[in-house]
Amino acid sequence: MNEVYHIPAMLQETIEGLNIKPEGVYVDVTFGGGGHSRAILSALDNSQFTMNNEQRACKSSVQKGHLYSFDQDQDALANAIDDPKWTFVLSNFRYLRNWMDYYGVEHIDGLLADLGVSFHHFDCPERGFSFRFSAPLDMRMNQTAKRTAADIVNTYSEEELANIFRLYGELKNGRAVAQAICRARAQKPIERTEDLVAASRIPEAMSKELARLFQALRIEVNDELGALREMLVAARDLLKPGGRIAILTYHSLEDRLVKNFLRSGNLEGTIEKDFYGNNLSPFVLIEKGREASAEEVARNPRSRSAKLRIAEKKP
Ligand SMILES: C[S@@+](CC[C@H](N)C(=O)[O-])C[C@H]1O[C@@H](n2cnc3c(N)ncnc32)[C@H](O)[C@@H]1O
């Protein structure tokens, strides 16, 4: 692969914030190009390299300083790492709990989620994530999933589309865009990226609005918020006391969800207090929405929307 698969955002800040224990068990639920995973692995204990085969076969040695990396996109396998401390899980991270049960992992020392899509998704024309290229309207991160973006724009009601555009894309004129799409699809199904651009009636010069439209659809196609909710609950239950969870978010809706969850420890965002008014959240906040430095944004403009949130599980 000649393209840059991904440039990780806030790499150093994230790894430092995870406070990695060399003998710990870690999970990177969004492997992508493997930039964050490689950095985690280099902080883990390397003593396994000197073990003999018998020791390596024993489960406790596999548990010592180990990283499990998830990605639901099989393209990420092109970045696989040759390291006995590393296991790749080709799966949606919503199944985190099941996979940890499968590997016999009861507790983890830390988890990283660098949410959303990779540069590869945006820059690979045939995946249909970007309005910059003519391609089938696909947008599935998991290429074996059934529902594509074309299925959604051709079958959802005007009301459903308007809600998605407003909620996930924060499009102010979401209703008008949904109406225009429904009118256009009555003439001819919307099958390609350029069909959607034309149907939406958003002028091509308004690239920010088009990006919001495509983002909204992508979030719906991949049920990004549903998967995030399930993963957060599993991560909370798997984390050891003192273990850390680091999450990089890229748009306000997912950021709000993560912020409320890390403050309260629940999906409702309800902060429970004891008789004396002490916050009963299972987490202590370490990073509260840190942004990339101006220098990083200049080097990697796609890091400009990243927000880093880190929390530690209380004893
Ligand atoms: C922003 S990239 C991560 C980049 C990575 N940190 C790196 O250093 O290259 C997000 C990755 O997570 C994957 N992903 C997104 N949502 C997922 C989910 N629900 N389950 C599994 N993988 C997911 C995407 O396929 C993509 O490869």
Side-chain angles (χ1 to χ4, degrees), residues 6 8 29-36 71-73 91-93 114-118 121 141 227:
H6 192 77
V29 292
T30 49
F31 177 68
H36 282 110
D71 206 296
Q72 61 178 328
D73 186 346
S91 167
N92 193 304
F93 59 54
D114 180 13
L115 297 172
V117 282
S118 63
H121 290 126
M141 289 190 220

mmCIF file with all atom_site columns, all heavy atoms in Angstrom, residues 6 8 29-36 71-73 91-93 114-118 121 141 227, ligand 1:
data_model
loop_
_atom_site.group_PDB
_atom_site.id
_atom_site.type_symbol
_atom_site.label_atom_id
_atom_site.label_alt_id
_atom_site.label_comp_id
_atom_site.label_asym_id
_atom_site.label_entity_id
_atom_site.label_seq_id
_atom_site.pdbx_PDB_ins_code
_atom_site.Cartn_x
_atom_site.Cartn_y
_atom_site.Cartn_z
_atom_site.occupancy
_atom_site.B_iso_or_equiv
_atom_site.pdbx_formal_charge
_atom_site.auth_seq_id
_atom_site.auth_comp_id
_atom_site.auth_asym_id
_atom_site.auth_atom_id
_atom_site.pdbx_PDB_model_num
ATOM   1   N N   . HIS A 1 6   ? -2.805  6.096  7.898  1.00 0.00 ? 6   HIS A N   1
ATOM   2   C CA  . HIS A 1 6   ? -3.326  7.015  8.914  1.00 0.00 ? 6   HIS A CA  1
ATOM   3   C C   . HIS A 1 6   ? -2.169  7.706  9.624  1.00 0.00 ? 6   HIS A C   1
ATOM   4   O O   . HIS A 1 6   ? -1.091  7.133  9.750  1.00 0.00 ? 6   HIS A O   1
ATOM   5   C CB  . HIS A 1 6   ? -4.142  6.236  9.963  1.00 0.00 ? 6   HIS A CB  1
ATOM   6   C CG  . HIS A 1 6   ? -4.935  7.134  10.859 1.00 0.00 ? 6   HIS A CG  1
ATOM   7   N ND1 . HIS A 1 6   ? -6.101  7.738  10.452 1.00 0.00 ? 6   HIS A ND1 1
ATOM   8   C CD2 . HIS A 1 6   ? -4.721  7.570  12.122 1.00 0.00 ? 6   HIS A CD2 1
ATOM   9   C CE1 . HIS A 1 6   ? -6.570  8.491  11.431 1.00 0.00 ? 6   HIS A CE1 1
ATOM   10  N NE2 . HIS A 1 6   ? -5.749  8.403  12.451 1.00 0.00 ? 6   HIS A NE2 1
ATOM   11  N N   . PRO A 1 8   ? -1.659  9.063  13.376 1.00 0.00 ? 8   PRO A N   1
ATOM   12  C CA  . PRO A 1 8   ? -2.384  9.132  14.650 1.00 0.00 ? 8   PRO A CA  1
ATOM   13  C C   . PRO A 1 8   ? -2.350  10.528 15.259 1.00 0.00 ? 8   PRO A C   1
ATOM   14  O O   . PRO A 1 8   ? -1.323  11.201 15.210 1.00 0.00 ? 8   PRO A O   1
ATOM   15  C CB  . PRO A 1 8   ? -1.652  8.125  15.542 1.00 0.00 ? 8   PRO A CB  1
ATOM   16  C CG  . PRO A 1 8   ? -0.380  7.795  14.866 1.00 0.00 ? 8   PRO A CG  1
ATOM   17  C CD  . PRO A 1 8   ? -0.477  8.193  13.428 1.00 0.00 ? 8   PRO A CD  1
ATOM   18  N N   . VAL A 1 29  ? -9.060  -0.398 20.732 1.00 0.00 ? 29  VAL A N   1
ATOM   19  C CA  . VAL A 1 29  ? -10.257 -0.876 20.024 1.00 0.00 ? 29  VAL A CA  1
ATOM   20  C C   . VAL A 1 29  ? -10.351 -0.333 18.591 1.00 0.00 ? 29  VAL A C   1
ATOM   21  O O   . VAL A 1 29  ? -11.260 -0.695 17.863 1.00 0.00 ? 29  VAL A O   1
ATOM   22  C CB  . VAL A 1 29  ? -11.570 -0.563 20.800 1.00 0.00 ? 29  VAL A CB  1
ATOM   23  C CG1 . VAL A 1 29  ? -11.664 -1.366 22.077 1.00 0.00 ? 29  VAL A CG1 1
ATOM   24  C CG2 . VAL A 1 29  ? -11.746 0.922  21.046 1.00 0.00 ? 29  VAL A CG2 1
ATOM   25  N N   . THR A 1 30  ? -9.410  0.546  18.198 1.00 0.00 ? 30  THR A N   1
ATOM   26  C CA  . THR A 1 30  ? -9.463  1.133  16.846 1.00 0.00 ? 30  THR A CA  1
ATOM   27  C C   . THR A 1 30  ? -8.053  1.084  16.234 1.00 0.00 ? 30  THR A C   1
ATOM   28  O O   . THR A 1 30  ? -7.364  2.100  16.181 1.00 0.00 ? 30  THR A O   1
ATOM   29  C CB  . THR A 1 30  ? -9.962  2.593  16.931 1.00 0.00 ? 30  THR A CB  1
ATOM   30  O OG1 . THR A 1 30  ? -9.206  3.260  17.958 1.00 0.00 ? 30  THR A OG1 1
ATOM   31  C CG2 . THR A 1 30  ? -11.438 2.672  17.267 1.00 0.00 ? 30  THR A CG2 1
ATOM   32  N N   . PHE A 1 31  ? -7.660  -0.072 15.750 1.00 0.00 ? 31  PHE A N   1
ATOM   33  C CA  . PHE A 1 31  ? -6.290  -0.301 15.300 1.00 0.00 ? 31  PHE A CA  1
ATOM   34  C C   . PHE A 1 31  ? -5.905  0.573  14.102 1.00 0.00 ? 31  PHE A C   1
ATOM   35  O O   . PHE A 1 31  ? -4.848  1.202  14.102 1.00 0.00 ? 31  PHE A O   1
ATOM   36  C CB  . PHE A 1 31  ? -6.127  -1.791 14.956 1.00 0.00 ? 31  PHE A CB  1
ATOM   37  C CG  . PHE A 1 31  ? -4.785  -2.136 14.419 1.00 0.00 ? 31  PHE A CG  1
ATOM   38  C CD1 . PHE A 1 31  ? -3.666  -2.077 15.231 1.00 0.00 ? 31  PHE A CD1 1
ATOM   39  C CD2 . PHE A 1 31  ? -4.616  -2.533 13.090 1.00 0.00 ? 31  PHE A CD2 1
ATOM   40  C CE1 . PHE A 1 31  ? -2.394  -2.408 14.747 1.00 0.00 ? 31  PHE A CE1 1
ATOM   41  C CE2 . PHE A 1 31  ? -3.363  -2.863 12.602 1.00 0.00 ? 31  PHE A CE2 1
ATOM   42  C CZ  . PHE A 1 31  ? -2.252  -2.804 13.419 1.00 0.00 ? 31  PHE A CZ  1
ATOM   43  N N   . GLY A 1 32  ? -6.705  0.591  13.051 1.00 0.00 ? 32  GLY A N   1
ATOM   44  C CA  . GLY A 1 32  ? -6.427  1.420  11.866 1.00 0.00 ? 32  GLY A CA  1
ATOM   45  C C   . GLY A 1 32  ? -5.059  1.139  11.278 1.00 0.00 ? 32  GLY A C   1
ATOM   46  O O   . GLY A 1 32  ? -4.727  0.015  10.906 1.00 0.00 ? 32  GLY A O   1
ATOM   47  N N   . GLY A 1 33  ? -4.210  2.188  11.214 1.00 0.00 ? 33  GLY A N   1
ATOM   48  C CA  . GLY A 1 33  ? -2.856  2.032  10.685 1.00 0.00 ? 33  GLY A CA  1
ATOM   49  C C   . GLY A 1 33  ? -1.894  1.502  11.731 1.00 0.00 ? 33  GLY A C   1
ATOM   50  O O   . GLY A 1 33  ? -0.718  1.270  11.437 1.00 0.00 ? 33  GLY A O   1
ATOM   51  N N   . GLY A 1 34  ? -2.356  1.364  12.963 1.00 0.00 ? 34  GLY A N   1
ATOM   52  C CA  . GLY A 1 34  ? -1.536  0.751  14.014 1.00 0.00 ? 34  GLY A CA  1
ATOM   53  C C   . GLY A 1 34  ? -0.550  1.702  14.689 1.00 0.00 ? 34  GLY A C   1
ATOM   54  O O   . GLY A 1 34  ? 0.291   1.250  15.469 1.00 0.00 ? 34  GLY A O   1
ATOM   55  N N   . GLY A 1 35  ? -0.655  2.995  14.443 1.00 0.00 ? 35  GLY A N   1
ATOM   56  C CA  . GLY A 1 35  ? 0.288   3.942  15.053 1.00 0.00 ? 35  GLY A CA  1
ATOM   57  C C   . GLY A 1 35  ? 0.215   3.925  16.578 1.00 0.00 ? 35  GLY A C   1
ATOM   58  O O   . GLY A 1 35  ? 1.240   3.809  17.256 1.00 0.00 ? 35  GLY A O   1
ATOM   59  N N   . HIS A 1 36  ? -1.006  4.004  17.116 1.00 0.00 ? 36  HIS A N   1
ATOM   60  C CA  . HIS A 1 36  ? -1.153  3.971  18.573 1.00 0.00 ? 36  HIS A CA  1
ATOM   61  C C   . HIS A 1 36  ? -0.774  2.588  19.109 1.00 0.00 ? 36  HIS A C   1
ATOM   62  O O   . HIS A 1 36  ? -0.116  2.480  20.152 1.00 0.00 ? 36  HIS A O   1
ATOM   63  C CB  . HIS A 1 36  ? -2.595  4.315  18.982 1.00 0.00 ? 36  HIS A CB  1
ATOM   64  C CG  . HIS A 1 36  ? -2.908  5.777  18.920 1.00 0.00 ? 36  HIS A CG  1
ATOM   65  N ND1 . HIS A 1 36  ? -3.746  6.323  17.978 1.00 0.00 ? 36  HIS A ND1 1
ATOM   66  C CD2 . HIS A 1 36  ? -2.497  6.805  19.700 1.00 0.00 ? 36  HIS A CD2 1
ATOM   67  C CE1 . HIS A 1 36  ? -3.826  7.636  18.180 1.00 0.00 ? 36  HIS A CE1 1
ATOM   68  N NE2 . HIS A 1 36  ? -3.083  7.958  19.221 1.00 0.00 ? 36  HIS A NE2 1
ATOM   69  N N   . ASP A 1 71  ? -10.207 -4.040 14.999 1.00 0.00 ? 71  ASP A N   1
ATOM   70  C CA  . ASP A 1 71  ? -10.695 -3.193 13.912 1.00 0.00 ? 71  ASP A CA  1
ATOM   71  C C   . ASP A 1 71  ? -11.730 -3.999 13.146 1.00 0.00 ? 71  ASP A C   1
ATOM   72  O O   . ASP A 1 71  ? -11.571 -5.201 12.964 1.00 0.00 ? 71  ASP A O   1
ATOM   73  C CB  . ASP A 1 71  ? -9.581  -2.729 12.963 1.00 0.00 ? 71  ASP A CB  1
ATOM   74  C CG  . ASP A 1 71  ? -9.948  -1.411 12.281 1.00 0.00 ? 71  ASP A CG  1
ATOM   75  O OD1 . ASP A 1 71  ? -10.943 -1.398 11.505 1.00 0.00 ? 71  ASP A OD1 1
ATOM   76  O OD2 . ASP A 1 71  ? -9.288  -0.392 12.538 1.00 0.00 ? 71  ASP A OD2 1
ATOM   77  N N   . GLN A 1 72  ? -12.797 -3.315 12.728 1.00 0.00 ? 72  GLN A N   1
ATOM   78  C CA  . GLN A 1 72  ? -13.835 -4.045 12.003 1.00 0.00 ? 72  GLN A CA  1
ATOM   79  C C   . GLN A 1 72  ? -13.570 -4.061 10.503 1.00 0.00 ? 72  GLN A C   1
ATOM   80  O O   . GLN A 1 72  ? -14.295 -4.709 9.761  1.00 0.00 ? 72  GLN A O   1
ATOM   81  C CB  . GLN A 1 72  ? -15.200 -3.452 12.295 1.00 0.00 ? 72  GLN A CB  1
ATOM   82  C CG  . GLN A 1 72  ? -15.379 -2.001 11.891 1.00 0.00 ? 72  GLN A CG  1
ATOM   83  C CD  . GLN A 1 72  ? -16.785 -1.517 12.175 1.00 0.00 ? 72  GLN A CD  1
ATOM   84  O OE1 . GLN A 1 72  ? -17.734 -2.275 12.102 1.00 0.00 ? 72  GLN A OE1 1
ATOM   85  N NE2 . GLN A 1 72  ? -16.929 -0.247 12.522 1.00 0.00 ? 72  GLN A NE2 1
ATOM   86  N N   . ASP A 1 73  ? -12.524 -3.329 10.083 1.00 0.00 ? 73  ASP A N   1
ATOM   87  C CA  . ASP A 1 73  ? -12.222 -3.260 8.651  1.00 0.00 ? 73  ASP A CA  1
ATOM   88  C C   . ASP A 1 73  ? -11.051 -4.190 8.325  1.00 0.00 ? 73  ASP A C   1
ATOM   89  O O   . ASP A 1 73  ? -9.946  -4.004 8.847  1.00 0.00 ? 73  ASP A O   1
ATOM   90  C CB  . ASP A 1 73  ? -11.871 -1.810 8.295  1.00 0.00 ? 73  ASP A CB  1
ATOM   91  C CG  . ASP A 1 73  ? -11.699 -1.633 6.799  1.00 0.00 ? 73  ASP A CG  1
ATOM   92  O OD1 . ASP A 1 73  ? -11.580 -2.642 6.072  1.00 0.00 ? 73  ASP A OD1 1
ATOM   93  O OD2 . ASP A 1 73  ? -11.685 -0.470 6.356  1.00 0.00 ? 73  ASP A OD2 1
ATOM   94  N N   . SER A 1 91  ? -13.109 -7.356 14.385 1.00 0.00 ? 91  SER A N   1
ATOM   95  C CA  . SER A 1 91  ? -14.483 -7.313 14.911 1.00 0.00 ? 91  SER A CA  1
ATOM   96  C C   . SER A 1 91  ? -14.869 -5.886 15.259 1.00 0.00 ? 91  SER A C   1
ATOM   97  O O   . SER A 1 91  ? -14.006 -5.031 15.509 1.00 0.00 ? 91  SER A O   1
ATOM   98  C CB  . SER A 1 91  ? -14.566 -8.155 16.188 1.00 0.00 ? 91  SER A CB  1
ATOM   99  O OG  . SER A 1 91  ? -15.772 -7.913 16.884 1.00 0.00 ? 91  SER A OG  1
ATOM   100 N N   . ASN A 1 92  ? -16.153 -5.671 15.336 1.00 0.00 ? 92  ASN A N   1
ATOM   101 C CA  . ASN A 1 92  ? -16.661 -4.412 15.869 1.00 0.00 ? 92  ASN A CA  1
ATOM   102 C C   . ASN A 1 92  ? -16.324 -4.367 17.367 1.00 0.00 ? 92  ASN A C   1
ATOM   103 O O   . ASN A 1 92  ? -16.475 -5.380 18.061 1.00 0.00 ? 92  ASN A O   1
ATOM   104 C CB  . ASN A 1 92  ? -18.183 -4.361 15.687 1.00 0.00 ? 92  ASN A CB  1
ATOM   105 C CG  . ASN A 1 92  ? -18.743 -2.971 15.920 1.00 0.00 ? 92  ASN A CG  1
ATOM   106 O OD1 . ASN A 1 92  ? -18.543 -2.374 16.975 1.00 0.00 ? 92  ASN A OD1 1
ATOM   107 N ND2 . ASN A 1 92  ? -19.436 -2.460 14.940 1.00 0.00 ? 92  ASN A ND2 1
ATOM   108 N N   . PHE A 1 93  ? -15.907 -3.214 17.850 1.00 0.00 ? 93  PHE A N   1
ATOM   109 C CA  . PHE A 1 93  ? -15.544 -3.128 19.276 1.00 0.00 ? 93  PHE A CA  1
ATOM   110 C C   . PHE A 1 93  ? -16.740 -3.223 20.206 1.00 0.00 ? 93  PHE A C   1
ATOM   111 O O   . PHE A 1 93  ? -16.585 -3.322 21.415 1.00 0.00 ? 93  PHE A O   1
ATOM   112 C CB  . PHE A 1 93  ? -14.668 -1.912 19.574 1.00 0.00 ? 93  PHE A CB  1
ATOM   113 C CG  . PHE A 1 93  ? -15.227 -0.543 19.260 1.00 0.00 ? 93  PHE A CG  1
ATOM   114 C CD1 . PHE A 1 93  ? -16.454 -0.121 19.754 1.00 0.00 ? 93  PHE A CD1 1
ATOM   115 C CD2 . PHE A 1 93  ? -14.466 0.363  18.507 1.00 0.00 ? 93  PHE A CD2 1
ATOM   116 C CE1 . PHE A 1 93  ? -16.933 1.157  19.499 1.00 0.00 ? 93  PHE A CE1 1
ATOM   117 C CE2 . PHE A 1 93  ? -14.941 1.650  18.234 1.00 0.00 ? 93  PHE A CE2 1
ATOM   118 C CZ  . PHE A 1 93  ? -16.187 2.036  18.729 1.00 0.00 ? 93  PHE A CZ  1
ATOM   119 N N   . ASP A 1 114 ? -9.667  5.488  19.393 1.00 0.00 ? 114 ASP A N   1
ATOM   120 C CA  . ASP A 1 114 ? -9.416  6.642  18.527 1.00 0.00 ? 114 ASP A CA  1
ATOM   121 C C   . ASP A 1 114 ? -10.536 6.582  17.491 1.00 0.00 ? 114 ASP A C   1
ATOM   122 O O   . ASP A 1 114 ? -10.407 5.905  16.468 1.00 0.00 ? 114 ASP A O   1
ATOM   123 C CB  . ASP A 1 114 ? -8.020  6.463  17.905 1.00 0.00 ? 114 ASP A CB  1
ATOM   124 C CG  . ASP A 1 114 ? -7.635  7.590  16.974 1.00 0.00 ? 114 ASP A CG  1
ATOM   125 O OD1 . ASP A 1 114 ? -8.314  8.621  16.976 1.00 0.00 ? 114 ASP A OD1 1
ATOM   126 O OD2 . ASP A 1 114 ? -6.631  7.424  16.243 1.00 0.00 ? 114 ASP A OD2 1
ATOM   127 N N   . LEU A 1 115 ? -11.643 7.263  17.810 1.00 0.00 ? 115 LEU A N   1
ATOM   128 C CA  . LEU A 1 115 ? -12.920 6.954  17.132 1.00 0.00 ? 115 LEU A CA  1
ATOM   129 C C   . LEU A 1 115 ? -12.993 7.404  15.670 1.00 0.00 ? 115 LEU A C   1
ATOM   130 O O   . LEU A 1 115 ? -12.190 8.213  15.202 1.00 0.00 ? 115 LEU A O   1
ATOM   131 C CB  . LEU A 1 115 ? -14.057 7.606  17.928 1.00 0.00 ? 115 LEU A CB  1
ATOM   132 C CG  . LEU A 1 115 ? -14.196 7.054  19.360 1.00 0.00 ? 115 LEU A CG  1
ATOM   133 C CD1 . LEU A 1 115 ? -15.209 7.875  20.157 1.00 0.00 ? 115 LEU A CD1 1
ATOM   134 C CD2 . LEU A 1 115 ? -14.607 5.581  19.349 1.00 0.00 ? 115 LEU A CD2 1
ATOM   135 N N   . GLY A 1 116 ? -13.987 6.840  14.991 1.00 0.00 ? 116 GLY A N   1
ATOM   136 C CA  . GLY A 1 116 ? -14.289 7.278  13.622 1.00 0.00 ? 116 GLY A CA  1
ATOM   137 C C   . GLY A 1 116 ? -13.520 6.528  12.564 1.00 0.00 ? 116 GLY A C   1
ATOM   138 O O   . GLY A 1 116 ? -13.163 5.364  12.747 1.00 0.00 ? 116 GLY A O   1
ATOM   139 N N   . VAL A 1 117 ? -13.265 7.227  11.461 1.00 0.00 ? 117 VAL A N   1
ATOM   140 C CA  . VAL A 1 117 ? -12.617 6.574  10.323 1.00 0.00 ? 117 VAL A CA  1
ATOM   141 C C   . VAL A 1 117 ? -11.154 6.989  10.213 1.00 0.00 ? 117 VAL A C   1
ATOM   142 O O   . VAL A 1 117 ? -10.739 7.983  10.807 1.00 0.00 ? 117 VAL A O   1
ATOM   143 C CB  . VAL A 1 117 ? -13.362 6.917  9.001  1.00 0.00 ? 117 VAL A CB  1
ATOM   144 C CG1 . VAL A 1 117 ? -14.622 6.109  8.853  1.00 0.00 ? 117 VAL A CG1 1
ATOM   145 C CG2 . VAL A 1 117 ? -13.644 8.387  8.888  1.00 0.00 ? 117 VAL A CG2 1
ATOM   146 N N   . SER A 1 118 ? -10.408 6.215  9.434  1.00 0.00 ? 118 SER A N   1
ATOM   147 C CA  . SER A 1 118 ? -8.986  6.517  9.225  1.00 0.00 ? 118 SER A CA  1
ATOM   148 C C   . SER A 1 118 ? -8.823  7.338  7.939  1.00 0.00 ? 118 SER A C   1
ATOM   149 O O   . SER A 1 118 ? -9.767  7.462  7.148  1.00 0.00 ? 118 SER A O   1
ATOM   150 C CB  . SER A 1 118 ? -8.206  5.212  9.106  1.00 0.00 ? 118 SER A CB  1
ATOM   151 O OG  . SER A 1 118 ? -8.662  4.503  7.980  1.00 0.00 ? 118 SER A OG  1
ATOM   152 N N   . HIS A 1 121 ? -9.885  5.459  4.883  1.00 0.00 ? 121 HIS A N   1
ATOM   153 C CA  . HIS A 1 121 ? -11.293 5.475  4.472  1.00 0.00 ? 121 HIS A CA  1
ATOM   154 C C   . HIS A 1 121 ? -11.602 6.696  3.607  1.00 0.00 ? 121 HIS A C   1
ATOM   155 O O   . HIS A 1 121 ? -12.238 6.588  2.565  1.00 0.00 ? 121 HIS A O   1
ATOM   156 C CB  . HIS A 1 121 ? -12.213 5.463  5.706  1.00 0.00 ? 121 HIS A CB  1
ATOM   157 C CG  . HIS A 1 121 ? -12.188 4.159  6.418  1.00 0.00 ? 121 HIS A CG  1
ATOM   158 N ND1 . HIS A 1 121 ? -11.906 4.033  7.755  1.00 0.00 ? 121 HIS A ND1 1
ATOM   159 C CD2 . HIS A 1 121 ? -12.393 2.896  5.970  1.00 0.00 ? 121 HIS A CD2 1
ATOM   160 C CE1 . HIS A 1 121 ? -11.949 2.758  8.098  1.00 0.00 ? 121 HIS A CE1 1
ATOM   161 N NE2 . HIS A 1 121 ? -12.239 2.055  7.037  1.00 0.00 ? 121 HIS A NE2 1
ATOM   162 N N   . MET A 1 141 ? -17.591 0.558  7.198  1.00 0.00 ? 141 MET A N   1
ATOM   163 C CA  . MET A 1 141 ? -16.238 0.246  7.689  1.00 0.00 ? 141 MET A CA  1
ATOM   164 C C   . MET A 1 141 ? -16.036 -1.263 7.628  1.00 0.00 ? 141 MET A C   1
ATOM   165 O O   . MET A 1 141 ? -14.968 -1.743 7.293  1.00 0.00 ? 141 MET A O   1
ATOM   166 C CB  . MET A 1 141 ? -16.061 0.713  9.124  1.00 0.00 ? 141 MET A CB  1
ATOM   167 C CG  . MET A 1 141 ? -15.996 2.201  9.279  1.00 0.00 ? 141 MET A CG  1
ATOM   168 S SD  . MET A 1 141 ? -15.501 2.590  10.976 1.00 0.00 ? 141 MET A SD  1
ATOM   169 C CE  . MET A 1 141 ? -16.549 3.970  11.305 1.00 0.00 ? 141 MET A CE  1
ATOM   170 N N   . ALA A 1 227 ? -22.448 1.491  18.866 1.00 0.00 ? 227 ALA A N   1
ATOM   171 C CA  . ALA A 1 227 ? -21.259 0.679  19.162 1.00 0.00 ? 227 ALA A CA  1
ATOM   172 C C   . ALA A 1 227 ? -20.445 1.324  20.286 1.00 0.00 ? 227 ALA A C   1
ATOM   173 O O   . ALA A 1 227 ? -19.956 0.642  21.194 1.00 0.00 ? 227 ALA A O   1
ATOM   174 C CB  . ALA A 1 227 ? -20.406 0.527  17.906 1.00 0.00 ? 227 ALA A CB  1
HETATM 175 C C1  . LIG B 2 .   ? -9.219  6.986  13.566 1.00 0.00 ? 1   LIG B C1  1
HETATM 176 S S1  . LIG B 2 .   ? -8.852  5.362  13.019 1.00 0.00 ? 1   LIG B S1  1
HETATM 177 C C2  . LIG B 2 .   ? -7.698  4.791  14.207 1.00 0.00 ? 1   LIG B C2  1
HETATM 178 C C3  . LIG B 2 .   ? -6.284  5.061  13.802 1.00 0.00 ? 1   LIG B C3  1
HETATM 179 C C4  . LIG B 2 .   ? -5.253  4.452  14.729 1.00 0.00 ? 1   LIG B C4  1
HETATM 180 N N1  . LIG B 2 .   ? -5.304  5.000  16.051 1.00 0.00 ? 1   LIG B N1  1
HETATM 181 C C5  . LIG B 2 .   ? -3.859  4.610  14.164 1.00 0.00 ? 1   LIG B C5  1
HETATM 182 O O1  . LIG B 2 .   ? -2.947  4.981  14.923 1.00 0.00 ? 1   LIG B O1  1
HETATM 183 O O2  . LIG B 2 .   ? -3.662  4.368  12.976 1.00 0.00 ? 1   LIG B O2  1
HETATM 184 C C6  . LIG B 2 .   ? -10.274 4.456  13.493 1.00 0.00 ? 1   LIG B C6  1
HETATM 185 C C7  . LIG B 2 .   ? -10.216 2.985  13.129 1.00 0.00 ? 1   LIG B C7  1
HETATM 186 O O3  . LIG B 2 .   ? -11.169 2.321  13.927 1.00 0.00 ? 1   LIG B O3  1
HETATM 187 C C8  . LIG B 2 .   ? -11.942 1.452  13.169 1.00 0.00 ? 1   LIG B C8  1
HETATM 188 N N2  . LIG B 2 .   ? -13.271 1.438  13.811 1.00 0.00 ? 1   LIG B N2  1
HETATM 189 C C9  . LIG B 2 .   ? -14.149 2.451  13.916 1.00 0.00 ? 1   LIG B C9  1
HETATM 190 N N3  . LIG B 2 .   ? -15.242 2.067  14.582 1.00 0.00 ? 1   LIG B N3  1
HETATM 191 C C10 . LIG B 2 .   ? -15.051 0.772  14.921 1.00 0.00 ? 1   LIG B C10 1
HETATM 192 C C11 . LIG B 2 .   ? -15.828 -0.195 15.627 1.00 0.00 ? 1   LIG B C11 1
HETATM 193 N N4  . LIG B 2 .   ? -17.051 0.094  16.095 1.00 0.00 ? 1   LIG B N4  1
HETATM 194 N N5  . LIG B 2 .   ? -15.308 -1.415 15.800 1.00 0.00 ? 1   LIG B N5  1
HETATM 195 C C12 . LIG B 2 .   ? -14.075 -1.731 15.323 1.00 0.00 ? 1   LIG B C12 1
HETATM 196 N N6  . LIG B 2 .   ? -13.307 -0.874 14.621 1.00 0.00 ? 1   LIG B N6  1
HETATM 197 C C13 . LIG B 2 .   ? -13.787 0.365  14.435 1.00 0.00 ? 1   LIG B C13 1
HETATM 198 C C14 . LIG B 2 .   ? -11.952 2.009  11.777 1.00 0.00 ? 1   LIG B C14 1
HETATM 199 O O4  . LIG B 2 .   ? -12.111 0.973  10.835 1.00 0.00 ? 1   LIG B O4  1
HETATM 200 C C15 . LIG B 2 .   ? -10.573 2.670  11.690 1.00 0.00 ? 1   LIG B C15 1
HETATM 201 O O5  . LIG B 2 .   ? -9.627  1.800  11.136 1.00 0.00 ? 1   LIG B O5  1
#
